């Protein structure tokens, strides 16, 4: 079974208008509301692919009630950790340019943090736990690292998709997979990625620093995957990007879907690229059928020499 954990979910309010005029009243032409949060997004893509998944989510207030009701009605069978504080609302504004305004995270008490850890302890050995998204400010930056250490002791594989100190410390705790983008990986090393050489070098460095596998997504540039001893690259397909929300989460979900089907990690890498691209090329999340069509045309290259 695959489990996802979303500590900092949201209601994502998508609104569309021709042009956003700051300082004046703007009227939306279209709007929709969906539960947001990287773990929930991963759950959605896996669910659409027919992969069994359980969604652990921390929720509070009227916004939390909305998300819980939505997930239950859609058959997610969520495991809800209740919070006293209110779950945030994120604004996704599509106009001449794409603008996001993310709400503040709810405050976590010591009891809330303990409830999360207790829930993780109930996950059976041999399962997979996906840790996705930002950490609320009231949690320590080593919170994910602590979960990863506990999971390893129980024989649970972990997938980490976050940024900043939470990524650096979590990576050092030894997750099975991390899935950073260029900015996130470069930031934890205080470097920049200006091309393939730097991308491969930092991905391999992350593997050496604790992650068993590293899937580095690079937008329209070739993605990188390494297990520390071997490294592969794949060029994403060309297409019109219409949606960036959830593309990275779809990449992680595509990797997990292929892994659940018994494919080796390097093949799961291609599945991740295909799912991420399928989402980027459509409104909402890309379908398994769209991902499969994309994957047929992807070419993966194994590097002959490692970059030190």
């Amino acid at each position: 079974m695959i489990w996802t954990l979303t500590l900092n979910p949201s209601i994502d309010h998508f609104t569309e208008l021709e042009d956003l005029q700051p300082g004046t009243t703007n009227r939306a032409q279209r709007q929709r509301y969906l539960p947001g949060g990287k773990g929930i997004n991963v759950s959605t893509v896996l669910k659409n692919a027919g992969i069994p998944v359980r969604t652990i989510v921390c929720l509070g207030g009227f916004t939390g009630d909305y998300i819980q009701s939505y997930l239950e009605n859609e058959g997610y069978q969520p495991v809800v950790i209740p919070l006293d504080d209110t779950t945030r609302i994120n604004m996704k504004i599509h106009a001449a340019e794409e603008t996001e305004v993310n709400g503040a995270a709810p405050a976590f008490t010591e009891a809330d943090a303990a409830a999360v850890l207790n829930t993780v302890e109930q996950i059976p050995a041999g399962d997979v736990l996906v840790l996705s998204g930002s950490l609320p400010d009231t949690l320590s930056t080593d919170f994910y690292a602590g979960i990863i250490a506990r999971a390893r002791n129980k024989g649970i594989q972990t997938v980490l998709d976050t940024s900043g100190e939470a990524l650096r410390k979590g990576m050092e705790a030894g997750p099975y997979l991390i899935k950073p983008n260029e900015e996130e990986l470069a930031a934890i090393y205080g470097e920049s990625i200006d091309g393939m050489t730097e991308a491969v070098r930092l991905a391999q460095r992350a593997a050496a620093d604790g992650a068993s596998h590293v899937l580095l997504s690079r937008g329209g540039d070739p993605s990188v995957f390494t297990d520390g001893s071997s490294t592969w690259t794949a060029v994403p397909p060309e297409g019109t990007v219409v949606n960036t929300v959830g593309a990275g989460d779809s990449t992680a979900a595509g990797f997990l879907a292929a892994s659940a089907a018994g494919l080796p990690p390097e093949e799961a890498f291609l599945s991740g690229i295909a799912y991420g691209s399928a989402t980027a090329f459509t409104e909402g999340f890309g379908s398994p059928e769209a991902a499969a069509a994309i994957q047929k045309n992807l070419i993966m290259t194994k590097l002959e020499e490692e970059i030190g």
Side-chain angles (χ1 to χ4, degrees), residues 7 31 43 115 154 158 174 197 201 205 209 219 226 241:
L7 296 170
Q31 63 183 11
S43 292
K154 287 198 63 177
T158 51
T197 299
R201 180 174 59 82
R205 182 175 174 182
D209 285 344
T226 185
V241 176

Side-chain angles (χ1 to χ4, degrees), residues 196 200 204 230-233 301-307:
M196 178 58 75
V200 170
Q204 292 174 352
S230 298
T231 301
W232 296 261
T233 66
T301 302
K302 184 177 181 180
L303 298 186
E304 294 299 325
E305 296 183 5
E306 301 302 301
I307 299 174

Side-chain angles (χ1 to χ4, degrees), residues 154-241:
K154 287 198 63 177
I156 298 167
Q157 282 189 346
T158 51
V159 174
L160 178 64
D161 185 6
T162 188
S163 60
E165 279 295 288
L167 172 59
R168 185 183 66 80
K169 293 180 178 180
M171 175 185 70
E172 293 172 351
Y176 176 75
L177 173 74
I178 62 170
K179 196 225 66 62
N181 60 32
E182 279 191 324
E183 291 182 0
E184 291 164 346
L185 186 60
I188 65 172
Y189 289 117
E191 299 192 26
S192 62
I193 295 178
D194 298 320
M196 178 58 75
T197 299
E198 290 90 349
V200 170
R201 180 174 59 82
L202 287 188
Q204 292 174 352
R205 182 175 174 182
D209 285 344
S212 297
H213 300 81
V214 179
L215 198 171
L216 173 60
S217 57
R218 304 178 61 224
D221 293 324
S223 297
V224 178
F225 178 73
T226 185
D227 62 6
S229 59
S230 298
T231 301
W232 296 261
T233 66
V235 180
E238 294 184 356
T240 301
V241 176

Side-chain angles (χ1 to χ4, degrees), residues 39-246:
I40 292 175
N41 292 344
V42 172
S43 292
T44 299
V45 177
L46 289 172
K47 180 174 175 291
N48 291 345
I51 306 297
V53 60
R54 293 296 304 274
T55 305
I56 305 170
V57 61
C58 302
L59 299 173
F62 72 100
T63 47
D65 292 341
Y66 172 85
I67 293 173
Q68 181 174 352
S69 177
Y70 180 97
L71 295 176
E72 290 174 346
N73 290 339
E74 294 295 320
Y76 284 79
Q77 296 182 305
V79 177
V80 175
I81 299 173
L83 305 177
D84 290 335
D85 207 355
T86 300
T87 299
R88 62 184 176 155
I89 297 175
N90 292 342
M91 293 291 299
K92 314 289 185 180
I93 304 170
H94 296 266
E97 296 180 324
E98 197 170 280
T99 302
E100 295 190 19
V101 181
N102 289 342
F108 273 67
T109 65
E110 290 185 5
D112 295 332
V116 172
L117 297 177
N118 180 65
T119 301
V120 169
E121 288 288 346
Q122 310 311 310
I123 297 175
D127 284 4
V128 178
L129 173 62
V130 184
L131 307 169
S132 294
S134 59
L135 283 175
D137 294 338
T138 47
L139 290 176
S140 169
T141 55
D142 64 0
F143 191 75
Y144 279 147
I147 292 177
I148 291 167
R150 286 169 178 251
R152 288 185 66 190
N153 289 337
K154 287 198 63 177
I156 298 167
Q157 282 189 346
T158 51
V159 174
L160 178 64
D161 185 6
T162 188
S163 60
E165 279 295 288
L167 172 59
R168 185 183 66 80
K169 293 180 178 180
M171 175 185 70
E172 293 172 351
Y176 176 75
L177 173 74
I178 62 170
K179 196 225 66 62
N181 60 32
E182 279 191 324
E183 291 182 0
E184 291 164 346
L185 186 60
I188 65 172
Y189 289 117
E191 299 192 26
S192 62
I193 295 178
D194 298 320
M196 178 58 75
T197 299
E198 290 90 349
V200 170
R201 180 174 59 82
L202 287 188
Q204 292 174 352
R205 182 175 174 182
D209 285 344
S212 297
H213 300 81
V214 179
L215 198 171
L216 173 60
S217 57
R218 304 178 61 224
D221 293 324
S223 297
V224 178
F225 178 73
T226 185
D227 62 6
S229 59
S230 298
T231 301
W232 296 261
T233 66
V235 180
E238 294 184 356
T240 301
V241 176
V242 299
N243 171 42
T244 59
V245 177

